[in-house]
Amino acid sequence: MCTIFITELMEKFSQESSESPPLCDSVCIHYKSLASSKLKYPTNFSIFRTHFPSKNMTNIISSSSISPLICFFVFFFWLGHGGAQGIQHSAAAINGADKIRSQFLHLLRTRRSPQVPLTVEPSKPVRHPLFQQVPTPTFSEAMESCPKADIKNLKERLKEENFYLHTEAGEQGRLPVLILSLKDSKQKRRPAVVFLHSTNKNKEWVRPLLEAYASREYIAIAIDSRYHGERAHNLTTYRDALVSSWIKGDTMPFLFDTVWDLIKLADYLTQRKDIDPKRIGITGESLGGMHAWFAAFVDTRYAVAAPIIGVQGFRWAIDNDKWQARIDSIKAVFEEARVDLGKSAIDKEVVKKVWNRIAPGLASIFDSPYSIPAIAPRPLLILNGADDPRCPLDGIKTPTKRARKAYAKAHSSKNFKE
C-alpha cells in the first residue's frame, strides 16, 4: 500500500514549483529495519530516480513493504512541493471534527498552569542530552540513513537555533526547541516539518532527520516532550511525572500536555517570516507518533501528518486484552494504581482507571476511531509495524475504516494512506 502511495507522490512531485528544491538526479537509498521495536520491515529498500523535474520521469520502486523512514521522507517531500494545498472540504465532516476538537481543547485547558505571553528565550546547544534509559543510546542507523542533499560543507551551511518557547507558567511550560535550516536559502518562505522523539529520548536524538530535511530547503524543528531532555532532571523524571499524575490528577504527562506545547509551537511557527504557514508538517516515532497524531487532530495548522508506530486503539486494546505491551512501556504508574486499587495484579480495570485519570478520554471519546477521522481532509500517512504489540494492526481497523469514510466525504480519499 505504501509502495503505491510513494509512486503516486512521485508523480505529484513532477509538477514541481519554481521555488521547490530539486532532488539529486539519481538516488539509491538502502534502509535496514528499526532495531528497537521488533517490527517486520524489509532489510533494504531502493529507489532509483531519473531526472526529477521531467513530467515523464520513471520510478523504479522495489520491495513489497518499506522502511517507515523512507515513507515519511517521501511523504513530506509532497509537503515541500505544495502537495497539501488545494484540498477540498466537506462541511459536514468539518463540523463534526470541530466539535471533537473543541472538546479536546476544553480538556487541555482544564489542567493548564496560568497562561503567559508566548515568548522566546534564547538558549545554548545541548552538548550532553539526557536519555532516561540505560545504556544510553549513541547511534541509530535508521536515523542516520535519512538521505541528505549533496551539499559540500553542509555542517557549515546549517543555521542552528536553540531557544525556549514559554507555553504556560511553571517549569514544564518552558519548551526547548531546536531548529535547523540552510543559511543561504533563496526561498522567501519555506515548508517546515516538526519531528518528535520517542519515549526516554530527546530532541537531539532526531538531529540527523533535521539535517536531512534542512539540506533540502526545509525548516526542520524538534522539541523535548514534557519531562524529557532539558525538561528532565534524572533517569526517572518521566516515570515520576506519570505516577504523580495518577496520585494528584493535576497534569497529563502522557501525551496531552505535550500536545498543548505543539499548539503553542504552531502559534510560533506560523508567525515566522521564513516559514510558509500553509506548509507545516508533523511526524514522530512511537511516543512522538502519538504526539503527532493528536497534534494534527486538534490543530489544523499542521497541514500534513505522518505518525510512525504511534496510532493505536486504546479502548480496543482493553476490550481485546491486548493492553500489556503498551502498559509495560510505562509500568510504574500502573503498578502504583494497582496498589491503590487493592489489586494483586494489573488488569483491565486498572488500565481503564489509569487512562481516565492521566489522559481523560484517551480510551473513549478521543481514541483513534474518533480523532483520526477528524484529521481529514489533510494528508495523513499512518505507519505501523506488522508485529508491533504496542500498536497492533487489528486495533486500527476501525479508525482507518472511519478515516477512509471521512476522507471520501471530504473528496480527499487520495490524502489518506495506511
Side-chain angles (χ1 to χ4, degrees):
M1 191 67 178
C2 196
T3 302
I4 297 171
F5 190 36
I6 285 183
T7 305
E8 293 173 352
L9 291 181
M10 288 294 190
E11 290 173 355
K12 288 177 182 285
F13 297 158
S14 66
Q15 309 299 324
E16 185 181 28
S17 69
S18 59
E19 289 191 351
S20 300
L23 291 173
C24 52
D25 289 344
S26 179
V27 182
C28 179
I29 309 165
H30 298 279
Y31 284 89
K32 290 189 177 179
S33 59
L34 292 176
S36 62
S37 51
K38 298 181 180 180
L39 310 182
K40 286 186 177 179
Y41 295 121
T43 55
N44 61 69
F45 168 72
S46 300
I47 294 180
F48 297 90
R49 302 184 62 254
T50 56
H51 186 56
F52 181 78
S54 171
K55 292 184 179 180
N56 297 316
M57 76 177 186
T58 301
N59 302 300
I60 304 174
I61 301 182
S62 62
S63 176
S64 59
S65 61
I66 58 178
S67 162
L69 281 181
I70 189 62
C71 275
F72 87 76
F73 182 77
V74 176
F75 190 69
F76 281 111
F77 267 110
W78 187 21
L79 172 69
H81 292 76
Q85 299 181 18
I87 297 171
Q88 298 182 40
H89 296 261
S90 165
I94 291 172
N95 289 338
D98 283 346
K99 181 177 180 180
I100 188 174
R101 274 194 288 269
S102 177
Q103 293 172 324
F104 187 70
L105 280 169
H106 175 73
L107 170 66
L108 293 185
R109 293 189 179 105
T110 62
R111 297 194 186 182
R112 298 271 59 79
S113 298
Q115 295 304 292
V116 298
L118 190 67
T119 56
V120 174
E121 174 191 349
S123 65
K124 296 180 180 180
V126 177
R127 301 303 180 192
H128 304 286
L130 175 63
F131 292 84
Q132 295 181 66
Q133 59 191 101
V134 178
T136 299
T138 57
F139 177 79
S140 168
E141 184 174 358
M143 292 287 180
E144 295 291 344
S145 64
C146 194
K148 299 179 176 66
D150 186 14
I151 298 177
K152 293 182 179 179
N153 303 318
L154 175 61
K155 298 287 186 180
E156 289 74 19
R157 291 184 59 186
L158 287 175
K159 175 185 177 182
E160 178 173 341
E161 301 173 62
N162 291 274
F163 59 87
Y164 302 111
L165 190 65
H166 290 265
T167 64
E168 63 183 5
E171 182 183 39
Q172 289 299 318
R174 198 165 175 246
L175 173 66
V177 181
L178 168 63
I179 298 180
L180 294 185
S181 60
L182 283 181
K183 295 176 182 176
D184 51 357
S185 173
K186 295 180 181 179
Q187 294 189 67
K188 189 173 182 180
R189 286 185 178 270
R190 283 173 275 178
V193 182
V194 177
F195 296 88
L196 303 168
H197 63 77
S198 53
T199 302
N200 296 328
K201 294 187 174 66
N202 46 61
K203 63 185 184 301
E204 285 73 27
W205 180 249
V206 300
R207 187 184 181 99
L209 303 182
L210 302 185
E211 292 180 354
Y213 274 79
S215 76
R216 298 180 182 275
E217 301 279 359
Y218 284 73
I219 308 291
I221 304 108
I223 67 165
D224 284 328
S225 299
R226 297 256 175 156
Y227 308 99
H228 286 76
E230 293 186 77
R231 304 168 101 174
H233 303 292
N234 53 45
L235 293 176
T236 65
T237 298
Y238 182 46
R239 183 194 71 184
D240 296 344
L242 293 168
V243 172
S244 176
S245 178
W246 164 258
I247 295 171
K248 299 178 181 179
D250 58 344
T251 59
M252 298 182 288
F254 186 70
L255 301 186
F256 293 173
D257 284 342
T258 296
V259 174
W260 177 263
D261 294 330
L262 292 167
I263 294 171
K264 294 297 184 178
L265 179 66
D267 289 343
Y268 168 76
L269 296 178
T270 53
Q271 294 172 9
R272 284 181 61 126
K273 294 181 179 180
D274 58 347
I275 290 178
D276 182 344
K278 294 181 179 180
R279 292 192 294 166
I280 300 175
I282 191 165
T283 186
E285 178 192 351
S286 193
L287 177 65
M290 290 184 270
H291 285 145
W293 151 22
F294 275 94
F297 145 57
V298 74
D299 197 328
T300 59
R301 291 173 297 183
Y302 289 110
V304 178
I308 301 172
I309 55 174
V311 177
Q312 59 206 271
F314 285 91
R315 181 69 195 201
W316 178 91
I318 294 171
D319 292 342
N320 292 274
D321 199 33
K322 298 291 185 180
W323 45 264
Q324 293 82 359
R326 172 55 60 202
I327 271 53
D328 283 344
S329 66
I330 50 172
K331 197 168 185 177
V333 63
F334 292 92
E335 283 292 347
E336 183 77 16
R338 177 192 66 78
V339 173
D340 289 350
L341 296 172
K343 298 273 189 174
S344 60
I346 298 172
D347 59 17
K348 65 172 57 180
E349 181 186 359
V350 173
V351 175
K352 285 181 187 178
K353 289 185 180 294
V354 170
W355 290 145
N356 287 339
R357 180 74 165 170
I358 72 172
L362 182 63
S364 55
I365 61 173
F366 304 128
D367 202 355
S368 54
Y370 311 101
S371 53
I372 287 295
I375 298 175
R378 290 164 289 147
L380 170 64
L381 173 63
I382 296 174
L383 293 168
N384 279 23
D387 291 332
D388 185 352
R390 294 178 183 175
C391 303
L393 291 183
D394 285 344
I396 63 169
K397 286 183 178 179
T398 296
T400 54
K401 180 180 179 180
R402 293 184 180 181
R404 282 192 290 271
K405 185 176 180 180
Y407 276 84
K409 284 185 176 180
H411 308 290
S412 302
S413 295
K414 292 183 179 180
N415 286 343
F416 175 67
K417 299 295 176 182
E418 47 86 19

mmCIF file with all atom_site columns, all heavy atoms in Angstrom, residues 143-160:
data_model
loop_
_atom_site.group_PDB
_atom_site.id
_atom_site.type_symbol
_atom_site.label_atom_id
_atom_site.label_alt_id
_atom_site.label_comp_id
_atom_site.label_asym_id
_atom_site.label_entity_id
_atom_site.label_seq_id
_atom_site.pdbx_PDB_ins_code
_atom_site.Cartn_x
_atom_site.Cartn_y
_atom_site.Cartn_z
_atom_site.occupancy
_atom_site.B_iso_or_equiv
_atom_site.pdbx_formal_charge
_atom_site.auth_seq_id
_atom_site.auth_comp_id
_atom_site.auth_asym_id
_atom_site.auth_atom_id
_atom_site.pdbx_PDB_model_num
ATOM 1   N N   . MET A 1 143 ? 17.971 6.470  11.784 1.00 0.00 ? 143 MET A N   1
ATOM 2   C CA  . MET A 1 143 ? 18.009 7.931  11.756 1.00 0.00 ? 143 MET A CA  1
ATOM 3   C C   . MET A 1 143 ? 19.088 8.429  10.788 1.00 0.00 ? 143 MET A C   1
ATOM 4   O O   . MET A 1 143 ? 18.849 9.321  9.971  1.00 0.00 ? 143 MET A O   1
ATOM 5   C CB  . MET A 1 143 ? 18.298 8.482  13.159 1.00 0.00 ? 143 MET A CB  1
ATOM 6   C CG  . MET A 1 143 ? 17.191 8.280  14.162 1.00 0.00 ? 143 MET A CG  1
ATOM 7   S SD  . MET A 1 143 ? 15.781 9.361  13.867 1.00 0.00 ? 143 MET A SD  1
ATOM 8   C CE  . MET A 1 143 ? 14.704 8.842  15.207 1.00 0.00 ? 143 MET A CE  1
ATOM 9   N N   . GLU A 1 144 ? 20.251 7.858  10.885 1.00 0.00 ? 144 GLU A N   1
ATOM 10  C CA  . GLU A 1 144 ? 21.378 8.322  10.080 1.00 0.00 ? 144 GLU A CA  1
ATOM 11  C C   . GLU A 1 144 ? 21.184 8.047  8.597  1.00 0.00 ? 144 GLU A C   1
ATOM 12  O O   . GLU A 1 144 ? 21.799 8.701  7.752  1.00 0.00 ? 144 GLU A O   1
ATOM 13  C CB  . GLU A 1 144 ? 22.675 7.660  10.560 1.00 0.00 ? 144 GLU A CB  1
ATOM 14  C CG  . GLU A 1 144 ? 23.100 8.053  11.967 1.00 0.00 ? 144 GLU A CG  1
ATOM 15  C CD  . GLU A 1 144 ? 23.564 9.496  12.072 1.00 0.00 ? 144 GLU A CD  1
ATOM 16  O OE1 . GLU A 1 144 ? 23.844 10.128 11.033 1.00 0.00 ? 144 GLU A OE1 1
ATOM 17  O OE2 . GLU A 1 144 ? 23.649 9.993  13.211 1.00 0.00 ? 144 GLU A OE2 1
ATOM 18  N N   . SER A 1 145 ? 20.326 7.078  8.252  1.00 0.00 ? 145 SER A N   1
ATOM 19  C CA  . SER A 1 145 ? 20.165 6.705  6.847  1.00 0.00 ? 145 SER A CA  1
ATOM 20  C C   . SER A 1 145 ? 19.254 7.649  6.083  1.00 0.00 ? 145 SER A C   1
ATOM 21  O O   . SER A 1 145 ? 19.143 7.533  4.860  1.00 0.00 ? 145 SER A O   1
ATOM 22  C CB  . SER A 1 145 ? 19.619 5.277  6.748  1.00 0.00 ? 145 SER A CB  1
ATOM 23  O OG  . SER A 1 145 ? 18.321 5.196  7.301  1.00 0.00 ? 145 SER A OG  1
ATOM 24  N N   . CYS A 1 146 ? 18.596 8.581  6.766  1.00 0.00 ? 146 CYS A N   1
ATOM 25  C CA  . CYS A 1 146 ? 17.737 9.532  6.060  1.00 0.00 ? 146 CYS A CA  1
ATOM 26  C C   . CYS A 1 146 ? 18.605 10.355 5.104  1.00 0.00 ? 146 CYS A C   1
ATOM 27  O O   . CYS A 1 146 ? 19.577 10.995 5.532  1.00 0.00 ? 146 CYS A O   1
ATOM 28  C CB  . CYS A 1 146 ? 17.027 10.445 7.046  1.00 0.00 ? 146 CYS A CB  1
ATOM 29  S SG  . CYS A 1 146 ? 15.662 11.380 6.332  1.00 0.00 ? 146 CYS A SG  1
ATOM 30  N N   . PRO A 1 147 ? 18.318 10.333 3.803  1.00 0.00 ? 147 PRO A N   1
ATOM 31  C CA  . PRO A 1 147 ? 19.238 10.928 2.818  1.00 0.00 ? 147 PRO A CA  1
ATOM 32  C C   . PRO A 1 147 ? 19.297 12.445 2.871  1.00 0.00 ? 147 PRO A C   1
ATOM 33  O O   . PRO A 1 147 ? 18.288 13.122 3.014  1.00 0.00 ? 147 PRO A O   1
ATOM 34  C CB  . PRO A 1 147 ? 18.653 10.459 1.476  1.00 0.00 ? 147 PRO A CB  1
ATOM 35  C CG  . PRO A 1 147 ? 17.206 10.234 1.758  1.00 0.00 ? 147 PRO A CG  1
ATOM 36  C CD  . PRO A 1 147 ? 17.133 9.731  3.167  1.00 0.00 ? 147 PRO A CD  1
ATOM 37  N N   . LYS A 1 148 ? 20.504 12.962 2.764  1.00 0.00 ? 148 LYS A N   1
ATOM 38  C CA  . LYS A 1 148 ? 20.739 14.412 2.702  1.00 0.00 ? 148 LYS A CA  1
ATOM 39  C C   . LYS A 1 148 ? 21.017 14.825 1.261  1.00 0.00 ? 148 LYS A C   1
ATOM 40  O O   . LYS A 1 148 ? 21.484 14.027 0.454  1.00 0.00 ? 148 LYS A O   1
ATOM 41  C CB  . LYS A 1 148 ? 21.928 14.794 3.589  1.00 0.00 ? 148 LYS A CB  1
ATOM 42  C CG  . LYS A 1 148 ? 21.766 14.469 5.066  1.00 0.00 ? 148 LYS A CG  1
ATOM 43  C CD  . LYS A 1 148 ? 23.022 14.866 5.827  1.00 0.00 ? 148 LYS A CD  1
ATOM 44  C CE  . LYS A 1 148 ? 22.863 14.650 7.329  1.00 0.00 ? 148 LYS A CE  1
ATOM 45  N NZ  . LYS A 1 148 ? 22.721 13.222 7.685  1.00 0.00 ? 148 LYS A NZ  1
ATOM 46  N N   . ALA A 1 149 ? 20.748 16.064 0.962  1.00 0.00 ? 149 ALA A N   1
ATOM 47  C CA  . ALA A 1 149 ? 21.101 16.593 -0.349 1.00 0.00 ? 149 ALA A CA  1
ATOM 48  C C   . ALA A 1 149 ? 22.622 16.642 -0.466 1.00 0.00 ? 149 ALA A C   1
ATOM 49  O O   . ALA A 1 149 ? 23.341 16.777 0.529  1.00 0.00 ? 149 ALA A O   1
ATOM 50  C CB  . ALA A 1 149 ? 20.512 17.982 -0.535 1.00 0.00 ? 149 ALA A CB  1
ATOM 51  N N   . ASP A 1 150 ? 23.110 16.521 -1.681 1.00 0.00 ? 150 ASP A N   1
ATOM 52  C CA  . ASP A 1 150 ? 24.555 16.508 -1.925 1.00 0.00 ? 150 ASP A CA  1
ATOM 53  C C   . ASP A 1 150 ? 25.083 17.945 -1.882 1.00 0.00 ? 150 ASP A C   1
ATOM 54  O O   . ASP A 1 150 ? 25.183 18.620 -2.904 1.00 0.00 ? 150 ASP A O   1
ATOM 55  C CB  . ASP A 1 150 ? 24.841 15.851 -3.274 1.00 0.00 ? 150 ASP A CB  1
ATOM 56  C CG  . ASP A 1 150 ? 26.338 15.674 -3.509 1.00 0.00 ? 150 ASP A CG  1
ATOM 57  O OD1 . ASP A 1 150 ? 27.106 15.812 -2.539 1.00 0.00 ? 150 ASP A OD1 1
ATOM 58  O OD2 . ASP A 1 150 ? 26.726 15.400 -4.661 1.00 0.00 ? 150 ASP A OD2 1
ATOM 59  N N   . ILE A 1 151 ? 25.379 18.398 -0.679 1.00 0.00 ? 151 ILE A N   1
ATOM 60  C CA  . ILE A 1 151 ? 25.852 19.771 -0.474 1.00 0.00 ? 151 ILE A CA  1
ATOM 61  C C   . ILE A 1 151 ? 27.222 19.727 0.195  1.00 0.00 ? 151 ILE A C   1
ATOM 62  O O   . ILE A 1 151 ? 27.390 19.090 1.236  1.00 0.00 ? 151 ILE A O   1
ATOM 63  C CB  . ILE A 1 151 ? 24.884 20.576 0.419  1.00 0.00 ? 151 ILE A CB  1
ATOM 64  C CG1 . ILE A 1 151 ? 23.509 20.689 -0.250 1.00 0.00 ? 151 ILE A CG1 1
ATOM 65  C CG2 . ILE A 1 151 ? 25.445 21.952 0.739  1.00 0.00 ? 151 ILE A CG2 1
ATOM 66  C CD1 . ILE A 1 151 ? 22.471 21.407 0.599  1.00 0.00 ? 151 ILE A CD1 1
ATOM 67  N N   . LYS A 1 152 ? 28.180 20.404 -0.397 1.00 0.00 ? 152 LYS A N   1
ATOM 68  C CA  . LYS A 1 152 ? 29.501 20.476 0.208  1.00 0.00 ? 152 LYS A CA  1
ATOM 69  C C   . LYS A 1 152 ? 29.449 21.342 1.459  1.00 0.00 ? 152 LYS A C   1
ATOM 70  O O   . LYS A 1 152 ? 28.748 22.352 1.504  1.00 0.00 ? 152 LYS A O   1
ATOM 71  C CB  . LYS A 1 152 ? 30.511 21.065 -0.782 1.00 0.00 ? 152 LYS A CB  1
ATOM 72  C CG  . LYS A 1 152 ? 30.791 20.167 -1.990 1.00 0.00 ? 152 LYS A CG  1
ATOM 73  C CD  . LYS A 1 152 ? 31.838 20.800 -2.902 1.00 0.00 ? 152 LYS A CD  1
ATOM 74  C CE  . LYS A 1 152 ? 32.134 19.897 -4.083 1.00 0.00 ? 152 LYS A CE  1
ATOM 75  N NZ  . LYS A 1 152 ? 33.144 20.497 -5.004 1.00 0.00 ? 152 LYS A NZ  1
ATOM 76  N N   . ASN A 1 153 ? 30.175 20.932 2.470  1.00 0.00 ? 153 ASN A N   1
ATOM 77  C CA  . ASN A 1 153 ? 30.250 21.697 3.719  1.00 0.00 ? 153 ASN A CA  1
ATOM 78  C C   . ASN A 1 153 ? 28.861 21.953 4.314  1.00 0.00 ? 153 ASN A C   1
ATOM 79  O O   . ASN A 1 153 ? 28.552 23.058 4.771  1.00 0.00 ? 153 ASN A O   1
ATOM 80  C CB  . ASN A 1 153 ? 30.966 23.038 3.493  1.00 0.00 ? 153 ASN A CB  1
ATOM 81  C CG  . ASN A 1 153 ? 32.353 22.862 2.918  1.00 0.00 ? 153 ASN A CG  1
ATOM 82  O OD1 . ASN A 1 153 ? 33.103 21.975 3.330  1.00 0.00 ? 153 ASN A OD1 1
ATOM 83  N ND2 . ASN A 1 153 ? 32.705 23.703 1.959  1.00 0.00 ? 153 ASN A ND2 1
ATOM 84  N N   . LEU A 1 154 ? 28.032 20.906 4.308  1.00 0.00 ? 154 LEU A N   1
ATOM 85  C CA  . LEU A 1 154 ? 26.668 21.072 4.811  1.00 0.00 ? 154 LEU A CA  1
ATOM 86  C C   . LEU A 1 154 ? 26.662 21.557 6.254  1.00 0.00 ? 154 LEU A C   1
ATOM 87  O O   . LEU A 1 154 ? 25.874 22.443 6.605  1.00 0.00 ? 154 LEU A O   1
ATOM 88  C CB  . LEU A 1 154 ? 25.903 19.747 4.702  1.00 0.00 ? 154 LEU A CB  1
ATOM 89  C CG  . LEU A 1 154 ? 24.497 19.747 5.313  1.00 0.00 ? 154 LEU A CG  1
ATOM 90  C CD1 . LEU A 1 154 ? 23.603 20.775 4.635  1.00 0.00 ? 154 LEU A CD1 1
ATOM 91  C CD2 . LEU A 1 154 ? 23.876 18.356 5.245  1.00 0.00 ? 154 LEU A CD2 1
ATOM 92  N N   . LYS A 1 155 ? 27.523 21.013 7.088  1.00 0.00 ? 155 LYS A N   1
ATOM 93  C CA  . LYS A 1 155 ? 27.538 21.396 8.502  1.00 0.00 ? 155 LYS A CA  1
ATOM 94  C C   . LYS A 1 155 ? 27.749 22.899 8.665  1.00 0.00 ? 155 LYS A C   1
ATOM 95  O O   . LYS A 1 155 ? 27.110 23.546 9.493  1.00 0.00 ? 155 LYS A O   1
ATOM 96  C CB  . LYS A 1 155 ? 28.649 20.643 9.240  1.00 0.00 ? 155 LYS A CB  1
ATOM 97  C CG  . LYS A 1 155 ? 28.500 19.131 9.246  1.00 0.00 ? 155 LYS A CG  1
ATOM 98  C CD  . LYS A 1 155 ? 27.397 18.661 10.152 1.00 0.00 ? 155 LYS A CD  1
ATOM 99  C CE  . LYS A 1 155 ? 27.372 17.138 10.244 1.00 0.00 ? 155 LYS A CE  1
ATOM 100 N NZ  . LYS A 1 155 ? 26.293 16.648 11.128 1.00 0.00 ? 155 LYS A NZ  1
ATOM 101 N N   . GLU A 1 156 ? 28.647 23.457 7.837  1.00 0.00 ? 156 GLU A N   1
ATOM 102 C CA  . GLU A 1 156 ? 28.934 24.884 7.928  1.00 0.00 ? 156 GLU A CA  1
ATOM 103 C C   . GLU A 1 156 ? 27.782 25.732 7.396  1.00 0.00 ? 156 GLU A C   1
ATOM 104 O O   . GLU A 1 156 ? 27.599 26.883 7.804  1.00 0.00 ? 156 GLU A O   1
ATOM 105 C CB  . GLU A 1 156 ? 30.218 25.228 7.163  1.00 0.00 ? 156 GLU A CB  1
ATOM 106 C CG  . GLU A 1 156 ? 31.503 24.724 7.809  1.00 0.00 ? 156 GLU A CG  1
ATOM 107 C CD  . GLU A 1 156 ? 31.691 23.229 7.649  1.00 0.00 ? 156 GLU A CD  1
ATOM 108 O OE1 . GLU A 1 156 ? 31.045 22.639 6.752  1.00 0.00 ? 156 GLU A OE1 1
ATOM 109 O OE2 . GLU A 1 156 ? 32.466 22.637 8.429  1.00 0.00 ? 156 GLU A OE2 1
ATOM 110 N N   . ARG A 1 157 ? 27.010 25.167 6.486  1.00 0.00 ? 157 ARG A N   1
ATOM 111 C CA  . ARG A 1 157 ? 25.919 25.926 5.874  1.00 0.00 ? 157 ARG A CA  1
ATOM 112 C C   . ARG A 1 157 ? 24.615 25.858 6.677  1.00 0.00 ? 157 ARG A C   1
ATOM 113 O O   . ARG A 1 157 ? 23.653 26.554 6.351  1.00 0.00 ? 157 ARG A O   1
ATOM 114 C CB  . ARG A 1 157 ? 25.668 25.431 4.447  1.00 0.00 ? 157 ARG A CB  1
ATOM 115 C CG  . ARG A 1 157 ? 26.807 25.777 3.490  1.00 0.00 ? 157 ARG A CG  1
ATOM 116 C CD  . ARG A 1 157 ? 26.470 25.346 2.077  1.00 0.00 ? 157 ARG A CD  1
ATOM 117 N NE  . ARG A 1 157 ? 25.259 25.984 1.583  1.00 0.00 ? 157 ARG A NE  1
ATOM 118 C CZ  . ARG A 1 157 ? 24.684 25.674 0.408  1.00 0.00 ? 157 ARG A CZ  1
ATOM 119 N NH1 . ARG A 1 157 ? 25.232 24.738 -0.353 1.00 0.00 ? 157 ARG A NH1 1
ATOM 120 N NH2 . ARG A 1 157 ? 23.591 26.289 0.016  1.00 0.00 ? 157 ARG A NH2 1
ATOM 121 N N   . LEU A 1 158 ? 24.598 25.032 7.711  1.00 0.00 ? 158 LEU A N   1
ATOM 122 C CA  . LEU A 1 158 ? 23.397 24.901 8.521  1.00 0.00 ? 158 LEU A CA  1
ATOM 123 C C   . LEU A 1 158 ? 23.295 26.019 9.554  1.00 0.00 ? 158 LEU A C   1
ATOM 124 O O   . LEU A 1 158 ? 24.267 26.342 10.235 1.00 0.00 ? 158 LEU A O   1
ATOM 125 C CB  . LEU A 1 158 ? 23.368 23.547 9.234  1.00 0.00 ? 158 LEU A CB  1
ATOM 126 C CG  . LEU A 1 158 ? 23.076 22.318 8.384  1.00 0.00 ? 158 LEU A CG  1
ATOM 127 C CD1 . LEU A 1 158 ? 23.218 21.056 9.219  1.00 0.00 ? 158 LEU A CD1 1
ATOM 128 C CD2 . LEU A 1 158 ? 21.687 22.392 7.766  1.00 0.00 ? 158 LEU A CD2 1
ATOM 129 N N   . LYS A 1 159 ? 22.129 26.577 9.645  1.00 0.00 ? 159 LYS A N   1
ATOM 130 C CA  . LYS A 1 159 ? 21.828 27.554 10.692 1.00 0.00 ? 159 LYS A CA  1
ATOM 131 C C   . LYS A 1 159 ? 21.120 26.817 11.819 1.00 0.00 ? 159 LYS A C   1
ATOM 132 O O   . LYS A 1 159 ? 20.110 26.149 11.603 1.00 0.00 ? 159 LYS A O   1
ATOM 133 C CB  . LYS A 1 159 ? 20.925 28.660 10.149 1.00 0.00 ? 159 LYS A CB  1
ATOM 134 C CG  . LYS A 1 159 ? 20.456 29.658 11.203 1.00 0.00 ? 159 LYS A CG  1
ATOM 135 C CD  . LYS A 1 159 ? 19.472 30.649 10.599 1.00 0.00 ? 159 LYS A CD  1
ATOM 136 C CE  . LYS A 1 159 ? 18.925 31.606 11.647 1.00 0.00 ? 159 LYS A CE  1
ATOM 137 N NZ  . LYS A 1 159 ? 17.918 32.541 11.057 1.00 0.00 ? 159 LYS A NZ  1
ATOM 138 N N   . GLU A 1 160 ? 21.645 26.933 13.030 1.00 0.00 ? 160 GLU A N   1
ATOM 139 C CA  . GLU A 1 160 ? 21.055 26.251 14.178 1.00 0.00 ? 160 GLU A CA  1
ATOM 140 C C   . GLU A 1 160 ? 20.463 27.270 15.144 1.00 0.00 ? 160 GLU A C   1
ATOM 141 O O   . GLU A 1 160 ? 21.110 28.248 15.509 1.00 0.00 ? 160 GLU A O   1
ATOM 142 C CB  . GLU A 1 160 ? 22.100 25.398 14.900 1.00 0.00 ? 160 GLU A CB  1
ATOM 143 C CG  . GLU A 1 160 ? 21.555 24.702 16.147 1.00 0.00 ? 160 GLU A CG  1
ATOM 144 C CD  . GLU A 1 160 ? 22.542 23.728 16.764 1.00 0.00 ? 160 GLU A CD  1
ATOM 145 O OE1 . GLU A 1 160 ? 23.484 23.310 16.054 1.00 0.00 ? 160 GLU A OE1 1
ATOM 146 O OE2 . GLU A 1 160 ? 22.369 23.385 17.944 1.00 0.00 ? 160 GLU A OE2 1
#
